[in-house]
Amino acid sequence: MTPLPPPVEELRLLDAELRQLDARRAVLLHRRAWLVHLLQPRPAPIAPPSPPTRRPEATAPGVQNVLLILGGVLLTVAAVAFTLVSWGRLGIVGRSAVLGAVTLAALGSPVLLLRRGLRSTAESLAGLGLVLTVLDAYALHTVALPGTDGVGYAALASATLAVGWAAYGLTVGARPGAAGRRVSGDDLTTGEAATGGRAPHAVFGAVRQAAVLGLRLPVPAAVVAAQFPLVLWAGAVGAGAHAVTAALLVTAAFDAVIALRASSTAVRVVAAVGAFGLGGWGTFAGCYLSWAAAGPGAAARAAALLLLAASIAFSAAWAAERPALATGVATAGGLITVVAFGGVLRTVLPGAWTVPGHLACGLALLAAVRPGLPEPVRRGIAAASGSVQGLAVVWALPVVVVSLVGPLAQVGSVWSGAPATARDAVTSELPWPPDAVTAPLVLGLVAAVLAAAVRSAALRPRAVTGALVLAWSTALSLPAALELPYAAGLSVHALTTVALLVLARRTRPPVVPVVLALVTSVDLAFLALASQTATLIVFAALTALFAVTARQPGLGPVGAPAALGHLAATACAVGASLGWQPQHTALLVLAVPLLAALLAARLDDAPTTVSVEITGAVAALLAVALTATDPPMLATVLALCGVIAAGTAVREDRRPVGYAAAALFVLAAWVRLVAWDVTSPEAYTLPVTVPALLVGLYRRRKDPAVSSWTAYAPGLSVSLFPSLLAAWADPQALRPLILGAAALAVTLLGARHRLQAPLLLGGTVLALDALHELAPYIVQVVDALPRWVAPALAGVLLLALGATYEQRIRDARRVRDVLGRMD
């Protein structure tokens, strides 16, 4: 057996081993930390900030272009100065030699520059050469052809320059070796990529090749020069306005063809600008010629020019690739076509048929909207037709406004006599528009087109609504436009109202026909004010008509109040026809709120009930207004209105109307007292106080939780405080004595039943009433006191307030300290 060391020795050995283990562990931890640090990515060293470098403010291509453009401009200025100033110093040979040499050098240099790849420099020299050719043409006319016509020579020169510049551009573009070069996809336009690089036409193929391989400036410049030959030629031969307009349109057609067929962006832009510019001027000139045409022959010539412009627009729309552009150009073409044919019709028809003639041409455009046309073109033609129809409706609107607003002027001349015609009835204050007899025809045609032509499910509801409004406008303006007799005009308005109400029964929702029927009925009512007989018949008929309408499902909220409104108007008319004063007529008008209250109690439809009650309230206000100048009758009417309101308050859902009934009764009593010249306030307050106290007592018995302030304060305040004010102004002692006794009784009752409102209100009034009795003695005492008493009393009061304020601050601090010591 191994002998064990003594415990002391064993303990020493264990301690030594542990120290060795701790030392080894420290070494291993240090080694581990070094390895972790070695494996972590080290941040890149921060480089010192480099000094800022100056960046160039202009790019190399920009500098190049500026220099080339500036050089070309300077050379052009020099050439012009030489031609205009130094030309006469050289002989004919020298002149020709110098100008020819410079022109040939300027036009020939781009060929060499293109071969070396210096395209920008070649473009600059080519531009200089083009300018020199213009100077050559000017010099040739000045020296060799001074006697020729300047305008004619300019026409010939511009044509020659256009052809020459185009040939020059195409020739330089098709330089030797260029045709064999393979053109990359970046060089081709969209149209070439789709056709494999082969142009659809030889000329435009050459233009396309020149744009890719040669100069870009000569061909667009040739297009610019081509804008002038025809117009200048027309001016040179003394052609008229029609020939000049034709020259503009033919040139615009040439530009449109180039703009649609050429692939070079520059050429297309220049041609498009020329097409829109010259085409617009030509179209404007054609429209002016058509409007100024005095006979069918001149109008036909102008129409031919406009049809040429329209054909150009339609052809461009057909060939345009952008749908928006095609739609816009087709719309313009449609409008130009309408102006062309409408101008011819204007010269053969009376003035009143000018707008209908143009409208007929606009409607005829719809026949051209066929499935075979491209969709953008069809949309454009339809938009043109719609624009013509809209303008025609705008032209007819003044007639509708006069027919609708004109009857309102009858209010100032009620029952002055029936006018002869319907137009006289609406033009007593407003003028009739000239040549407007055909306005109803225009409105009717547009309404028919909207109802028949629009078949889209999304647009159909709006089209039907528009057609209905236009048809209503036609019926409204037809009697005045045709100058029908006055009775016939009333009949047309009445039939229109009936037709709209019948249509409302079949339409869901019936908002539009119902609103139009109401407007027509009101217009008819004002129109009937010219004659007493017509007023009574029309008002009664409208009342019956809307009463029948109110029984139809869904039309009650409109028909019932309309019937009651016309009934109120009928009551006023009946009273006036009987010779009654307005205050007596008010009794007839009160039948309307009474009938409204009875109907509302039997109706089950909530919207109809509300509309009927509102109409009854408005009729009651009308009755009150009619009696405003007669206080006794006003009191009677207010009392009757209170009775109607009280009857309405009997219904469970209309109990709050009882407050209105009470207010009406009170107002009726007050008006009656005023009519009797009663000035005592108690006569006005006691009729309010007694019912108020009884109602408060009833509420307290029914609900003991109701406070005395809610139950009794309103009634007591109404009587006590007005009487207190009157007592203070009354020099007699009887009123204060009675008021004091009443206040004492109220105070004792409040104390007996422990009620705050009677106790405080009665006590306050009693104290103030007593103060009123002591006021003379107080005044005597104040007069007897020295004047220093008042300031002294004020000072004492301020000191007391300050002490109280300080005490409150101290108490607040004490409470804060107590709260701070709490856990």
Side-chain angles (χ1 to χ4, degrees), residues 347-378:
T347 59
V348 299
L349 295 175
W353 291 89
T354 298
V355 174
H358 284 78
L359 177 60
C361 297
L363 296 179
L365 285 178
L366 295 176
V369 182
R370 299 182 177 275
L373 294 175
E375 180 62 24
V377 177
R378 288 193 295 169

Side-chain angles (χ1 to χ4, degrees), residues 671-697:
V671 172
R672 176 59 66 180
L673 293 174
V674 171
W676 288 340
D677 295 330
V678 176
T679 58
S680 177
E682 290 78 12
Y684 296 89
T685 57
L686 288 178
V688 179
T689 299
V690 174
L693 292 177
L694 292 177
V695 171
L697 180 61

Side-chain angles (χ1 to χ4, degrees), residues 18 119 133 157 203 247 275 311 325 330 347 350 360 377 466 500 511 664 701 708 736 751 760 764 797 802 816:
L18 290 174
R119 178 181 295 275
T133 56
V203 175
S311 63
L325 177 62
T347 59
V377 177
L500 288 170
V511 177
L664 289 171
R701 289 185 176 181
S708 61
L760 294 180
T764 302
L797 177 63
R816 184 191 61 186

Side-chain angles (χ1 to χ4, degrees), residues 366 389 444-456 460 463-464 466-468:
L366 295 176
Q389 296 176 53
L445 287 176
V446 178
V449 170
L450 280 178
V454 180
R455 295 297 180 183
S456 174
R460 183 65 180 173
V464 171
L468 177 60

Side-chain angles (χ1 to χ4, degrees), residues 433-446:
D435 295 333
V437 68
T438 55
L441 176 62
V442 169
L443 296 172
L445 287 176
V446 178

Side-chain angles (χ1 to χ4, degrees), residues 317-555:
W318 190 292
E321 297 178 356
R322 297 181 180 179
L325 177 62
T327 301
V329 176
T331 303
L335 294 175
I336 295 171
T337 303
V338 171
V339 175
F341 288 103
V344 177
L345 293 177
R346 182 186 60 83
T347 59
V348 299
L349 295 175
W353 291 89
T354 298
V355 174
H358 284 78
L359 177 60
C361 297
L363 296 179
L365 285 178
L366 295 176
V369 182
R370 299 182 177 275
L373 294 175
E375 180 62 24
V377 177
R378 288 193 295 169
R379 287 200 302 265
I381 295 176
S385 178
S387 300
V388 174
Q389 296 176 53
L391 292 175
V393 170
V394 171
W395 171 80
L397 281 182
V399 177
V400 180
V401 172
V402 172
S403 301
L404 184 62
V405 180
L408 300 180
Q410 298 296 333
V411 176
S413 57
V414 177
W415 296 352
S416 60
T421 63
R423 183 180 296 185
D424 296 335
V426 300
T427 56
S428 58
E429 298 292 339
L430 297 177
W432 183 256
D435 295 333
V437 68
T438 55
L441 176 62
V442 169
L443 296 172
L445 287 176
V446 178
V449 170
L450 280 178
V454 180
R455 295 297 180 183
S456 174
L459 301 177
R460 183 65 180 173
R462 285 182 285 180
V464 171
T465 301
L468 177 60
V469 174
L470 291 175
W472 169 76
S473 303
T474 303
L476 192 69
S477 59
L478 185 63
L482 300 181
E483 294 188 89
L484 297 178
Y486 175 69
L490 294 178
S491 301
V492 171
H493 280 67
L495 292 175
T496 303
T497 305
V498 173
L500 288 170
L501 291 177
V502 172
L503 182 62
R505 294 177 54 187
R506 305 178 180 179
T507 305
R508 289 293 177 270
V511 177
V512 176
V514 166
V515 171
L516 295 179
L518 285 176
V519 173
T520 309
S521 66
V522 173
D523 195 64
L524 175 60
F526 280 103
L527 194 64
L529 292 177
S531 171
Q532 178 178 345
T533 305
T535 300
L536 295 174
I537 295 175
V538 168
F539 283 10
L542 290 176
T543 302
L545 176 62
F546 280 99
V548 173
T549 303
R551 300 176 63 88
Q552 305 301 322
L555 300 181

Side-chain angles (χ1 to χ4, degrees), residues 36-66:
V36 169
H37 176 72
L38 183 64
L39 295 176
Q40 287 182 349
R42 298 181 180 180
I46 301 176
S50 58
T53 59
R54 294 184 179 180
R55 301 180 61 183
E57 298 181 357
T59 61
V63 174
Q64 165 194 303
N65 294 333
V66 170

